[in-house]
Amino acid sequence: MNNPISWQPNPDRVRRSAMHRFMGMQGLSDYDRLHEWSVQHPEEFWAELARFCDVQFSRPADTVLARPDNIMNAGWFGGATLNYAQHLLFDRSERAAMIAYTEHGERRVLSFAELFESVERVAAGLRAHGVGTGDRVAGFLPNCPEAVIAMLATTSLGAVWSSCSPDFGTSAVVDRFGQIEPRVLFTADGYHYNGKTIDSLATAAAIRDRIASIDALVVIPFAGSGCALPEGAVWLTDFEQADMALSFEPVAFDHPLFILFSSGTTGVPKCIVHGHGGTLLQHLKEHRLHTDLGSDDRLFYFTTCGWMMWNWLVSAMASGTTIVLFDGSPFINDGRRLWEIAEREMLTVFGTSAKYLSALSKTDLRPGEAFALGHLRTVLSTGSPLAPDGFDFVGDAVGSSIQVASIAGGTDIVSCFVLGNPLLPVRRGEIQCAGLGMDVKVFNERGEAVTDENGELVCCTPFPSAPVGFWADEDQQRYRAAYFERFDGVWAHGDYAIACSDGGFIINGRSDSVLNPGGVRIGTAEIYRQVEQLDDILESLVIGQDWDDDVRVVLFVRLKDGVSLDDELQQTIRQTIRRNATPRHVPAKILAVDDIPRTKSGKIVELAVRDVVHGRDVANIQALANPDALNLYRDLPELSDG
C-alpha cells in the first residue's frame, strides 16, 4: 500500500519540535527506531518520558514496570505517588489558561492564577462537605470553565471525577452515575444549542432524587434559564469556601482519577476507571511529543463533557497550553462560529470530528479564505475514520501548509493508539503512526500480525493508560471479556484496521460492525469513504442484513434537501463503490432516510440499526442523542423482499 503524500513537515519545524529533541536525547535519528526502542524497552522509555515531561512525584517509584508479560495486570510506577491536578495548576501567572465561548459568541478568559483561585474555593467547599480520597463527584454540565474547575477541585483531593453532557436524559445519566454513587452532583441551570436555551435543572433534580448517594446538588449559573432552584440545591457561590488553602493529595500512580463510560448502546454502560499517573503520562506524551504543544500554543477541540476528548483537551494545561472551550452547535452561524474563534484566538491546533469535516466540505464555506488562520498548523480529527476526501478538504479549503492529524484510540484508554507526528509526512487517508510506547499491530483471525490487509487492531505489550479496571468488577471478568478474550494476553481494541507497510494506519470501522457478505469481511468505513464523497449525500449508515443464509449489504443515505434517491443516483453510488472498492462492497439495497441515529458523542450506531432491522430490541436507547430516529428503520417493506 502506497498512499500519496499530502503534507511534508517543514525542516525547521522538525528541528524545533519536542519529538525531535526527545529523540536526540536517546541518541536516535528517526521515528521508526525511536518507536522500536519505546516498545522493546518500556521501563526505560516511560521513565525517560516522565523525566522529559517533568512529572512531579511526591514519592519516587520503586519499580517502573512490574509484570511486563501481563498486559492486563501490569503494574506501573509501583510505590510512586503524585497528583494529576497539581500538574495542571503548576502555573500561577496571568497567562490565559482557558478561553471559553458559547455559541452566541460570548467569551470568557481565565488566567492560570484565576483558575487556581477558583479551584481552591471549590476544593474547600468539597472538603467542608466531607469529600475525600476515593469519593466520587459527578458533573452534569456543559463545556464551560466551571466543569474544568469542579474536576480539578475533585481530583486535587484524590476524589474521582465523572461527567456527562446535559443533553443526556434522566435514565441515561442514572444508568451511568447510579453505578458509581457520587456524593456531589454539579450541574448548570441550562445550556444553549442551535439557538435554543434548554433547562437542565428539572433533569438534574430528577437525577439527584434517583441516586441516593447524592447529598449535594450544586448549580452553576450558565444559561440564564430563569428556572427556580430545585429544593435543597445550592448555587456554586454558596457552596464555595474561602478559608482553606489548596493542597494536592498525593495518591498512588493507579489511584482512580476519572470514570468514563462506554456508549451503552448494547446494555448498561461500562464504567471504565482511569488512574492519575497513566492518564497524565499518556496525555503529556501525546500533547508534547505527538502534537508538539507547549506554552505558546492554543488548543481547541470540539467536544462535550460526555466524550473522552474533553479529558484529553483539559490535560493540555499540564503542558502550559491555553485551552479553548466551546459549548453549543458547531454549525451555528452557518458553520462559521468555530472558525471565527480560530481566527480571533490565533489557534495553533484545531480539533474536531471527521463527520464535521465531511459535512463542512459540502457547504460553500472555505475557512482558509474566509478567515485569517495564519497561526494554525494542525487540524486534528477523530470520532470516526477520516476519509481521504477529508484530508483533501483540509489541504484545499483550510490551508495546504496544515498538518492533518487523524487520531484513534478512545474512551477505553482515554487516549490514542495511533495518531499524528510532527516528524513524519502525512499520507492521504492514513493515520501517521503508532504512538510511542504503544506496541500496536493488526492481527488476522489466526492472531498473526499482518500488513496491508484488514484485521483487528491490537496492542501486544503493557501501556500505562490501560484502565485500572471497570468499576465494581471485583473479579475483573468484565474487563477481561472486553479486551482480552479475542487473543490471549493481547489487547484487542475492537477496531477493524490496516497496518500500512509505510508505518501508517487506516481504521475501517468497529470490528463488531464488520460486514460479512459471502464470507468476505468488509469494514463499514470502506463504504463510507466512497459514498460520502458524493455531494448529494450528507451522511450514510451501512449494515449487514441476514438474508438467504448469508448477509447482504444495506446502505442508508441521508440526502441534501431537494435531492431524491432516483435510479440515476443509486447507479452513481453503486458505480462509485464498485470502482473504488470491490464488487463485494456494493450494497444490495440503498434506502433514503431522514435521520441517522447516533450516540451523544456523535458516533453513528450501526449495531442498534442492525438490531431494529432484524426485529430485535435495542438494549439502551437512552444512550442515543436522537432515539426516535430508530423508528425510521423499523419494519421497512423494502427490506422484506429480494
Side-chain angles (χ1 to χ4, degrees):
M1 186 169 292
N2 189 23
N3 290 314
I5 291 174
S6 58
W7 177 86
Q8 285 277 17
N10 180 292
D12 288 338
R13 177 178 169 183
V14 168
R15 285 192 292 270
R16 292 195 305 268
S17 70
M19 180 77 85
H20 186 267
R21 187 165 69 255
F22 181 75
M23 186 170 65
M25 291 170 63
Q26 316 315 320
L28 300 170
S29 58
D30 64 59
Y31 185 76
D32 287 345
R33 290 185 176 88
L34 180 63
H35 183 266
E36 182 180 22
W37 167 71
S38 74
V39 297
Q40 290 185 355
H41 303 278
E43 294 182 65
E44 187 179 350
F45 165 69
W46 291 104
E48 283 292 314
L49 180 70
R51 281 190 285 271
F52 183 81
C53 295
D54 196 27
V55 173
Q56 298 296 303
F57 291 105
S58 305
R59 182 186 184 281
D62 299 320
T63 57
V64 174
L65 175 58
R67 301 177 296 281
D69 297 326
N70 188 335
I71 188 171
M72 181 173 163
N73 291 303
W76 289 98
F77 291 86
T81 59
L82 76 169
N83 187 282
Y84 167 88
Q86 182 177 1
H87 289 79
L88 276 66
L89 294 168
F90 72 95
D91 190 343
R92 310 288 173 83
S93 74
E94 296 303 320
R95 277 196 321 115
M98 283 187 290
I99 304 170
Y101 280 86
T102 68
E103 67 175 27
H104 302 311
E106 297 163 349
R107 179 178 185 262
R108 290 174 60 194
V109 181
L110 266 76
S111 70
F112 278 98
E114 291 169 328
L115 175 62
F116 186 94
E117 292 167 2
S118 297
V119 171
E120 186 172 56
R121 292 193 299 272
V122 175
L126 288 169
R127 280 202 299 271
H129 193 72
V131 173
T133 304
D135 288 331
R136 277 77 62 205
V137 174
F140 178 63
L141 290 166
N143 188 15
C144 60
E146 286 77 13
V148 180
I149 291 164
M151 180 275 285
L152 290 171
T154 298
T155 57
S156 73
L157 302 174
V160 188
W161 174 259
S162 191
S163 61
C164 63
S165 55
D167 55 343
F168 279 59
T170 303
S171 295
V173 178
V174 172
D175 282 348
R176 288 158 172 77
F177 293 162
Q179 296 184 69
I180 65 172
E181 299 178 312
R183 291 276 314 279
V184 178
L185 178 65
F186 287 91
T187 189
D189 58 345
Y191 64 99
H192 307 293
Y193 195 83
N194 204 26
K196 299 178 181 178
T197 299
I198 302 162
D199 169 44
S200 295
L201 291 177
T203 303
I207 293 164
R208 177 199 57 187
D209 293 344
R210 288 178 58 181
I211 301 177
S213 62
I214 297 174
D215 52 23
L217 178 60
V218 183
V219 180
I220 295 155
F222 177 73
S225 65
C227 296
L229 202 65
E231 184 179 355
V234 296
W235 291 108
L236 178 65
T237 51
D238 295 324
F239 182 80
E240 295 173 335
Q241 300 284 329
D243 57 351
M244 285 186 272
L246 182 63
S247 60
F248 300 98
E249 181 67 25
V251 295
F253 191 86
D254 61 355
H255 182 80
L257 168 71
F258 298 137
I259 299 176
L260 306 182
F261 303 99
S262 64
S263 62
T265 54
T266 57
V268 176
K270 297 188 291 289
C271 305
I272 305 171
V273 183
H274 292 288
H276 275 245
T279 302
L280 175 67
L281 198 54
Q282 181 81 326
H283 286 181
L284 285 168
K285 180 199 74 178
E286 294 181 352
H287 290 145
R288 295 195 187 182
L289 300 185
H290 285 276
T291 316
D292 201 29
L293 290 171
S295 58
D296 293 331
D297 287 299
R298 292 191 166 188
L299 168 67
F300 166 82
Y301 218 106
F302 177 75
T303 183
T304 71
C305 294
W307 190 21
M308 53 85 36
M309 291 310 300
W310 181 83
N311 307 75
W312 192 91
L313 167 67
V314 172
S315 288
M317 289 191 292
S319 296
T321 301
T322 299
I323 62 171
V324 180
L325 312 178
F326 173 81
D327 193 74
S329 168
F331 293 104
I332 202 76
N333 194 20
D334 297 322
R336 299 174 64 87
R337 177 70 76 232
L338 300 188
W339 300 102
E340 292 169 354
I341 294 170
E343 178 182 68
R344 178 173 180 179
E345 305 304 339
M346 296 184 288
L347 297 181
T348 53
V349 180
F350 180 100
T352 186
S353 67
K355 287 293 183 185
Y356 172 78
L357 293 174
S358 175
L360 198 67
S361 71
K362 296 178 181 180
T363 71
D364 295 330
L365 180 61
R366 296 176 61 81
E369 297 174 4
F371 302 95
L373 303 177
H375 290 81
L376 187 62
R377 67 167 187 267
T378 303
V379 168
L380 302 173
S381 171
T382 194
S384 59
L386 182 63
D389 282 359
F391 288 74
D392 297 341
F393 171 73
V394 174
D396 180 55
V398 183
S400 59
S401 65
I402 291 173
Q403 175 191 11
V404 182
S406 182
I407 63 179
T411 299
D412 317 76
I413 63 169
V414 73
S415 58
C416 304
F417 278 123
V418 291
L419 68 170
N421 191 324
L423 307 185
L424 300 177
V426 173
R427 291 185 179 272
R428 182 177 183 265
E430 289 185 21
I431 298 175
Q432 284 176 279
C433 65
L436 289 174
M438 311 298 275
D439 191 8
V440 180
K441 293 181 172 61
V442 170
F443 275 10
N444 62 20
E445 292 185 348
R446 296 184 298 277
E448 301 163 336
V450 294
T451 57
D452 295 335
E453 62 181 84
N454 271 308
E456 183 83 24
L457 188 78
V458 302
C459 191
C460 298
T461 56
F463 54 96
S465 64
V468 173
F470 292 169
W471 189 258
D473 182 25
E474 300 301 332
D475 59 4
Q476 294 194 305
Q477 287 305 304
R478 285 185 293 152
Y479 182 36
R480 180 183 300 278
Y483 309 111
F484 301 103
E485 288 188 348
R486 179 75 187 278
F487 304 108
D488 186 38
V490 172
W491 176 291
H493 193 53
D495 279 344
Y496 198 50
I498 297 173
C500 305
S501 51
D502 56 40
F505 289 82
I506 298 172
I507 307 296
N508 283 322
R510 296 293 295 169
S511 55
D512 55 8
S513 62
V514 163
L515 311 173
N516 199 23
V520 177
R521 288 168 61 81
I522 295 170
T524 54
E526 297 175 82
I527 294 175
Y528 298 143
R529 287 191 186 103
Q530 309 311 322
V531 174
E532 294 183 9
Q533 66 181 283
L534 302 174
D535 287 340
D536 288 338
I537 297 175
L538 295 175
E539 58 182 342
S540 59
L541 183 147
V542 65
I543 65 165
Q545 183 192 14
D546 296 338
W547 193 259
D548 283 346
D549 298 320
D550 196 358
V551 173
R552 67 178 181 181
V553 178
V554 178
L555 175 68
F556 300 95
V557 293
R558 188 167 74 88
L559 305 173
K560 277 187 173 180
D561 289 343
V563 175
S564 62
L565 186 63
D566 55 21
D567 290 344
E568 182 180 356
L569 181 54
Q570 290 207 41
Q571 185 67 10
T572 298
I573 293 169
R574 289 191 165 95
Q575 287 176 346
T576 300
I577 295 171
R578 181 183 296 270
R579 182 174 60 250
N580 296 316
T582 74
R584 286 285 188 184
H585 290 71
V586 176
K589 293 281 186 178
I590 306 175
L591 286 77
V593 289
D594 292 332
D595 199 4
I596 287 179
R598 61 190 70 252
T599 65
K600 302 287 187 180
S601 59
K603 297 180 181 180
I604 62 175
V605 286
E606 295 142 331
L607 296 182
V609 170
R610 190 173 72 190
D611 283 342
V612 168
V613 165
H614 287 97
R616 298 188 291 263
D617 291 336
V618 177
N620 190 1
I621 63 171
Q622 290 285 342
L624 302 183
N626 53 343
D628 290 343
L630 285 176
N631 294 325
L632 302 173
Y633 301 81
R634 203 178 303 278
D635 301 323
L636 294 172
E638 298 93 333
L639 297 184
S640 61
D641 59 35

